[in-house]
Amino acid sequence: RSGSFGDALKKDVWVDGDCLGETAPDMFFYKEVKGDEQHKIATESEFSPNDLLLNTETGKNYFIRQYMKIGVFVGGAGVDLVDEEKGKKDISSLNMAKTGTCSK
């Protein structure tokens, strides 16, 4: 997660229902998943999780960006897929996060 909007917000991220951890500014997670399958990446938002369904291919890298959104009461988050070149460039200036626990 890069950028300065929502710096104070920490949002949980799950892959296929398993907690990856709580995001923070200027950090990224790495998770290896099986190829040739569909995977669900989810992050918490203000009222419900926001999900991304991703059909993977064996041997490919995928980069998912979490972004913060303005909410009614608290900020929310969303996730989207970015191309590999942009993803590699984006994480080159970030620190890898340790897998942790989710708040929910």
Side-chain angles (χ1 to χ4, degrees), residues 12-14 40-53 64 66-69 75-80:
D12 295 338
V13 175
W14 300 273
K40 181 169 94 171
I41 294 84
T43 187
E44 65 180 311
S45 196
E46 187 171 20
F47 299 111
S48 63
N50 285 329
D51 301 338
L52 171 70
L53 295 177
I64 311 301
Q66 181 193 52
Y67 57 91
M68 297 296 114
K69 304 188 299 185
V79 286
D80 60 9

Side-chain angles (χ1 to χ4, degrees), residues 34-103:
K34 290 183 180 180
D36 303 321
E37 291 186 8
Q38 185 177 74
H39 299 279
K40 181 169 94 171
I41 294 84
T43 187
E44 65 180 311
S45 196
E46 187 171 20
F47 299 111
S48 63
N50 285 329
D51 301 338
L52 171 70
L53 295 177
L54 178 64
N55 294 313
T56 60
E57 293 178 34
T58 298
K60 286 188 72 177
N61 294 312
Y62 296 88
F63 294 83
I64 311 301
R65 177 181 72 100
Q66 181 193 52
Y67 57 91
M68 297 296 114
K69 304 188 299 185
I70 296 174
V72 177
F73 301 107
V74 296
V79 286
D80 60 9
L81 179 66
V82 298
D83 68 67
E84 187 171 1
E85 185 176 319
K86 178 171 175 31
K88 285 180 178 180
K89 181 181 176 201
D90 288 350
I91 68 167
S92 68
S93 63
L94 305 178
N95 297 307
M96 189 181 319
K98 293 181 182 177
T99 302
T101 57
C102 292
S103 61

Side-chain angles (χ1 to χ4, degrees), residues 1-2 6-7 9-11 22-29 66 95 97:
R1 183 176 119 192
S2 61
D7 276 357
L9 298 176
K10 293 183 177 182
K11 298 292 182 180
E22 203 174 46
T23 63
D26 301 321
M27 302 294 283
F28 74 95
F29 286 99
Q66 181 193 52
N95 297 307

